C-alpha cells in the first residue's frame, strides 16, 4: 500500500492560524505587535525568495516584519553594527540573518552577535545549550517543524529508532536532540549518520523513522527503507526547474508507511515555527 502523504502545507496553515490567534490576544493585552527583522546581505535569488516567503507568512499571522537589505560588499563590521542596532531596538523582537552570508563575513561571528532573546533561529550557544538540556527557549525551526508533523500524524516516537541523516547545526544535530529528549513526540533511540558513516544503508534500514537532511537529490532510495518506516524529507534540491528532496519519493513512497513530499512537506513547517518563535520572543520581551 502506498505511503500516507504527510501534508506539511496544511499543518503549517493550521499552525500559522494558531500563531495569528495568539498574537492577536497578546497584542490586545499588551499593545505589542511581534516584529521580525530580517537581514539579507547580497542578492542571492534563492535567499531573496526565502526571506520574502518568511515576510509574507508574518503578514498572514498579523506579525510585523521588516527587511534590512545590504549590498554584497558589506563588511563584517558593518553587519555587526546592524545586528547591534537591532539587538538594542526594543520594537524588534526577533532577528533573522538569512544564510548563507558572503564568504568574507564569518557566519559564526554574526550569529553569535544576535542577542539570545531575539535569536528566533535558535543558533545562539545559549539557546542551543538550553535545547540540549531539554528546557528550550526557542525551538529550532526546521527540526521542530518535523517534530510537529510527527505529532499531527500520531506517529509514535517513544522507543522508536530514529535515524537522522546529516549533522548540520541547523537541521541534523538539533533534530536528534529534540527526538532524544524525554517527553511527547520524543523518547526515541536516535542515531545520527553523516558523510563519514560506514554502511549507511544498513543503519538506515533499521530505522522506524528516517529524517533525511543531506542536500543530495534522491539520495535515500527504496532499498534503504524498512517496510512501514516513516520518512521525513528535509532536503531541498534543484533538479532542472523542479524542486526535489533528499529522498527518492516515488520509489520510497511504495515502501514507507508515511512520507513528506517536497515541496509541501517540511518547508512550510520551518516558516510556521519561525512565526511561533517570533511571538515567543515578543512575549519574552514583555516579561
Ligand atoms: P549541510 O550541507 O549543512 O549538511 C548536510 C549533512 O549531510 C552533513 O552533515 C553531512 O555530513 C551529511 N552528508 C553529506 N553527504 C553525505 C553522505 N554521502 N552520506 C551521509 N551523510 C552525508 O546541509 P543542511 O543545512 O543540514 O541542509 C540539508 C538539506 O536540507 C539541504 O537540501 C537544505 O536545502 C535542506 N534544508 C531544508 C530546510 C527546510 O525548511 N525544508 C531547512 C534547512 C535545510
Amino acid at each position: 500500500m502506498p505511503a500516507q502523504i504527510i501534508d506539511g502545507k496544511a499543518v503549517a496553515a493550521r499552525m500559522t492560524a494558531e500563531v495569528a490567534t495568539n498574537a492577536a490576544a497578546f497584542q490586545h493585552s499588551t499593545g505589542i505587535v511581534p516584529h521580525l527583522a530580517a537581514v539579507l546581505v547580497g542578492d542571492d535569488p534563492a535567499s531573496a525568495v526565502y526571506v520574502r516567503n518568511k515576510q509574507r507568512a508574518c503578514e498572514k499571522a498579523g506579525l510585523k516584519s521588516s527587511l534590512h537589505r545590504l549590498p554584497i560588499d558589506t563588511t563584517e563590521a558593518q553587519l555587526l553594527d546592524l545586528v547591534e542596532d537591532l539587538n538594542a531596538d526594543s520594537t524588534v523582537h526577533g532577528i533573522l540573518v538569512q544564510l548563507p552570508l558572503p564568504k568574507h563575513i564569518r557566519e559564526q561571528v554574526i550569529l553569535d552577535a544576535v542577542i539570545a532573546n531575539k535569536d528566533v533561529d535558535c543558533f545562539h550557544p545559549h539557546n542551543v545549550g538550553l535545547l540540549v538540556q531539554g528546557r528550550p527557549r526557542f525551538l529550532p525551526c526546521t527540526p521542530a517543524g518535523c517534530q510537529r508533523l510527527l505529532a499531527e500524524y500520531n506517529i509514535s516516537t517513544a522507543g522508536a529508532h530514529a535515524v537522522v541523516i546529516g549533522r548540520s547545526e541547523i537541521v541534523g544535530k538539533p533534530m536528534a536532540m529534540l527526538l532524544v529528549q524525554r517527553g511527547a513526540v520524543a523518547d526515541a533511540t536516535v542515531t545520527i549518520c553523516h558523510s563519514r558513516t560506514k554502511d549507511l544503508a544498513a543503519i538506515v534500514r533499521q530505522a522506524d523513522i528516517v529524517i533525511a537532511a543531506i542536500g543530495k537529490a534522491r539520495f535515500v532510495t527504496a532499498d534503504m527503507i524498512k517496510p512501514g518506516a516513516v520518512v521525513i524529507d528535509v532536503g531541498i534540491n534543484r533538479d532542472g526547474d523542479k524542486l526535489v528532496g533528499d529522498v527518492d519519493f516515488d520509489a520510497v513512497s511504495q515502501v514507507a508507511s508515511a512520507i513528506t513530499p517536497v515541496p509541501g512537506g517540511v518547508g512550510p513547517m520551518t516558516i510556521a515555527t519561525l512565526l511561533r518563535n517570533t511571538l515567543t520572543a515578543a512575549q519574552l520581551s514583555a516579561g
Side-chain angles (χ1 to χ4, degrees), residues 50 142 165-172 193-197 200 212-216 219 233-237 244 246 265-271:
Y50 288 141
T142 301
I165 318 175
R167 58 174 161 185
S168 69
E169 306 300 331
I170 181 168
V171 189
C193 296
H194 49 77
S195 52
R196 305 295 299 269
T197 296
L200 178 91
I214 309 146
K216 292 190 172 152
F219 179 91
D233 188 353
V234 179
I236 303 177
N237 309 287
V244 299
D246 288 346
V266 174
M269 296 300 296
T270 297
I271 298 182

Side-chain angles (χ1 to χ4, degrees), residues 39-76:
V39 179
L40 179 60
V41 185
D43 39 33
D44 174 48
S47 293
V49 170
Y50 288 141
V51 168
R52 203 175 317 130
N53 288 344
K54 289 167 186 173
Q55 289 200 282
R56 282 204 190 121
C58 279
E59 279 162 31
K60 264 195 198 143
L63 311 185
K64 180 178 172 189
S65 73
S66 56
L67 175 60
H68 300 263
R69 272 201 102 135
L70 300 176
I72 184 104
D73 57 358
T74 301
T75 64
E76 190 175 285

Side-chain angles (χ1 to χ4, degrees), residues 178-212:
L178 285 180
L179 290 174
V180 83
Q181 299 295 335
R182 286 172 202 272
V185 207
D187 280 329
T189 301
V190 180
T191 302
I192 305 178
C193 296
H194 49 77
S195 52
R196 305 295 299 269
T197 296
K198 283 190 187 146
D199 207 355
L200 178 91
I203 297 170
V204 177
R205 259 195 301 274
Q206 295 170 25
D208 303 305
I209 299 168
V210 178
I211 316 263

